[in-house]
Amino acid sequence: MEYGKALRFHRVKQGLTQNQLADGIISAAYLSKIENDQTVPAIEVLELLYERLGIDFNESNFNHPSKEKLREWYEAIVFKQKDVARRLRDELHQQKNTLDNHQLYIFYELFRIRYLLLENEVEKAYETWEDLKQHKDTFDEEMEFYFHLISGLVKYYKGDFNDAFQELMEAKNYSFTVEIEKWETSDLYYLLALSTSQANHISASNYYADHALEIYQSHYDLSKSADCHIVLGINFSRLKNYAKSLENYHLARKIALQTNDFQQLKLVYINIGVLESRLDNHQAAITNYKKSLEYSGDSDSSPNSFELLNSIHGLITEHYKLGDWDGCKQWVSKGKACLDEHPSKTHQLHFEFYDKLLNDTPDIQDFLEHEVIPYFQERKNHTYIIRYSMFLADQLETQRMYKKSSTYLRLAIQLLNKHSHLGGILL
């Protein structure tokens, strides 16, 4: 056992300095060497240090069976078995050794972050991740693997897709030096496919999605296979290979119908709606967006409510493109009503824009210039920077404000040239 790392972990966890822990036992300099595994102290010294920390030295050196339960919990989290994950979380939390043992505590906190993301408690997951970073220099290679993987997920949920990809690649590097299960390898590849798709590295995303799909299919994991088909559908749509995109969406839909997975069905129909919109098949887009609403079900969770609002936003834009102002107004009204129960700054701006547009509100240009475009620039959401910049450029041109119009037109063109394959809704 690496006593030094365990000592440092408990000292930091209890908010003690090296001087406070070492006082009257050894020098702070010698404690520093112990914590950095530069020396092996006498057992008597370790016992005194553990006693001061209130930790049972013999207990800390015991290989707890809780490690197996932790791994069982993590597997339930990865496969989104919420009821099982909740039960195991409660059992683990009641076991004192899980929280007092260095290794068990680190794994518990790492897995708890992913559990919180599963429960859509993103901010709490982020706070837990920030707290855990103070113990990073006590991690072994197995902990490093999970830390980088979990860090990739946290950054993905925060919208930092390139950073998420880099963290997941670090996890991939550690995966060669630690023992992980086959399902964990496929999970890593799937997360790499997600992050690279959102970061617009389409070829890389297809590579990882294909590898994940191969493993899932070999284990007859239908649900995870459907997830991969959705990612591939989005990627082929961005590459303008619409036939291949639809093929993957239909495969995902076929699986989701067999497994009664409403979440996947909803994602399939939303993304077919996006594809049909790109092809200017506005009625077909409307049909698919409405179909996605049929699978909304309980929209209390964050992803469900976000997808509900995405579908409504899609319906607003398609009705507007068709010149159906009444239909557009109806969906704007429904969207704004949904915001009362499911607040979303992103969708609030979308709905407010169309509200101002339909009512010919004079401050729409100021609204775009000072609220909407800066908001999406801050979040690096290129799709909406392009869309709203082009609209603003047209408006400014009609008022003969050519210099300002060209500024926004250049911004849109630069992003279009750089990100010509935007589009698609992922998990």
Side-chain angles (χ1 to χ4, degrees):
M1 178 178 178
E2 296 174 306
Y3 294 106
K5 289 182 177 181
L7 275 172
R8 187 189 185 286
F9 161 76
H10 287 295
R11 178 179 64 76
V12 172
K13 190 180 175 189
Q14 295 184 27
L16 297 176
T17 65
Q18 287 182 332
N19 283 327
Q20 288 172 323
L21 178 57
D23 186 35
I25 302 175
I26 52 176
S27 69
Y30 188 54
L31 175 59
S32 178
K33 287 185 177 181
I34 296 172
E35 289 187 350
N36 289 297
D37 294 317
Q38 294 174 352
T39 186
V40 179
I43 295 296
E44 293 78 13
V45 171
L46 286 171
E47 288 177 339
L48 288 169
L49 292 170
Y50 272 87
E51 184 181 350
R52 179 160 291 173
L53 289 166
I55 305 297
D56 186 335
F57 173 71
N58 293 316
E59 179 73 7
S60 67
N61 196 26
F62 182 72
N63 184 20
H64 289 292
S66 298
K67 181 73 179 290
E68 287 305 312
K69 181 158 283 191
L70 277 166
R71 293 196 60 78
E72 185 184 349
W73 183 41
Y74 183 65
E75 187 172 356
I77 294 167
V78 171
F79 286 95
K80 300 180 180 180
Q81 299 166 345
K82 286 190 177 183
D83 290 340
V84 177
R86 288 166 184 160
R87 174 178 58 78
L88 290 170
R89 175 207 58 185
D90 293 341
E91 290 177 12
L92 286 162
H93 192 70
Q94 290 169 8
Q95 295 178 7
K96 185 174 182 293
N97 57 37
T98 304
L99 303 179
D100 286 347
N101 179 278
H102 168 228
Q103 289 204 343
L104 294 179
Y105 177 85
I106 295 298
F107 284 116
Y108 175 81
E109 288 296 280
L110 283 167
F111 298 164
R112 188 166 75 92
I113 294 169
R114 187 156 186 179
Y115 171 78
L116 290 168
L117 292 174
L118 176 64
E119 295 285 10
N120 306 308
E121 297 185 53
V122 179
E123 287 307 317
K124 189 180 287 187
Y126 186 76
E127 290 168 10
T128 306
W129 176 73
E130 285 283 356
D131 289 340
L132 194 60
K133 285 196 294 184
Q134 67 180 318
H135 302 301
K136 193 175 184 306
D137 56 0
T138 71
F139 292 176
D140 59 24
E141 289 192 335
E142 187 181 9
M143 294 172 187
E144 288 283 2
F145 165 75
Y146 288 110
F147 177 76
H148 286 293
L149 187 144
I150 298 300
S151 296
L153 263 175
V154 168
K155 292 183 178 182
Y156 180 90
Y157 272 77
K158 298 291 281 187
D160 301 325
F161 302 122
N162 275 306
D163 288 346
F165 170 54
Q166 294 303 322
E167 290 285 359
L168 291 166
M169 284 301 294
E170 283 295 320
K172 184 170 179 285
N173 292 336
Y174 276 102
S175 72
F176 298 123
T177 60
V178 298
E179 279 192 33
I180 60 173
E181 302 286 342
K182 200 71 173 176
W183 60 265
E184 292 184 277
T185 301
S186 55
D187 175 58
L188 175 59
Y189 282 137
Y190 173 68
L191 295 178
L192 281 163
L194 277 181
S195 62
T196 47
S197 181
Q198 292 286 42
N200 298 311
H201 306 313
I202 306 303
S203 296
S205 182
N206 280 344
Y207 171 83
Y208 290 120
D210 282 336
H211 275 64
L213 181 60
E214 183 180 349
I215 298 172
Y216 288 138
Q217 288 178 333
S218 69
H219 288 78
Y220 303 101
D221 191 329
L222 294 177
S223 181
K224 292 289 187 179
S225 296
D227 286 339
C228 291
H229 283 303
I230 292 172
V231 175
L232 289 166
I234 291 169
N235 290 342
F236 282 116
S237 178
R238 291 172 176 172
L239 293 171
K240 300 182 180 179
N241 188 340
Y242 300 122
K244 194 72 174 174
S245 175
L246 278 172
E247 178 187 332
N248 277 280
Y249 288 145
H250 290 320
L251 285 168
R253 182 176 62 182
K254 183 178 179 180
I255 293 170
L257 285 168
Q258 291 175 359
T259 58
N260 288 319
D261 193 322
F262 288 1
Q263 173 69 12
Q264 288 178 337
L265 285 167
K266 179 167 47 181
L267 280 170
V268 167
Y269 285 115
I270 290 174
N271 280 296
I272 294 177
V274 172
L275 186 153
E276 296 290 5
S277 178
R278 288 165 68 89
L279 293 170
D280 291 327
N281 297 331
H282 304 303
Q283 285 293 353
I286 288 170
T287 299
N288 281 283
Y289 285 134
K290 285 183 176 178
K291 193 74 176 174
S292 75
L293 294 177
E294 294 177 19
Y295 294 99
S296 289
D298 178 14
S299 59
D300 288 340
S301 68
S302 296
N304 282 345
S305 61
F306 194 79
E307 288 150 11
L308 168 68
L309 295 168
N310 275 339
S311 292
I312 292 173
H313 180 222
L315 286 162
I316 292 168
T317 57
E318 295 311 304
H319 280 285
Y320 183 81
K321 290 173 184 176
L322 288 170
D324 179 4
W325 313 133
D326 289 337
C328 191
K329 285 179 180 179
Q330 287 175 10
W331 285 107
V332 168
S333 179
K334 288 181 183 179
K336 292 176 81 171
C338 285
L339 290 174
D340 293 335
E341 191 173 352
H342 307 292
S344 165
K345 178 67 174 178
T346 297
H347 294 92
Q348 177 192 331
L349 291 174
H350 290 324
F351 301 158
E352 195 172 342
F353 165 74
Y354 280 100
D355 193 35
K356 289 179 181 292
L357 183 61
L358 292 166
N359 291 295
D360 200 22
T361 307
D363 67 342
I364 191 168
Q365 292 176 15
D366 187 68
F367 175 63
L368 287 171
E369 193 171 354
H370 297 105
E371 289 191 53
V372 178
I373 294 173
Y375 174 84
F376 289 113
Q377 284 178 318
E378 184 181 343
R379 282 150 188 79
K380 299 178 183 178
N381 191 319
H382 307 302
T383 299
Y384 295 119
I385 300 170
I386 293 166
R387 185 176 299 180
Y388 289 118
S389 292
M390 291 186 73
F391 179 87
L392 181 56
D394 287 342
Q395 292 289 303
L396 292 168
E397 186 178 15
T398 61
Q399 297 176 20
R400 299 184 180 181
M401 299 174 69
Y402 300 119
K403 186 175 181 180
K404 186 178 279 192
S405 173
S406 64
T407 299
Y408 285 100
L409 186 59
R410 278 199 305 273
L411 172 62
I413 291 172
Q414 286 170 358
L415 290 174
L416 275 169
N417 289 336
K418 189 175 180 181
H419 307 284
S420 60
H421 41 254
L422 295 171
I425 307 297
L426 286 167
L427 289 169

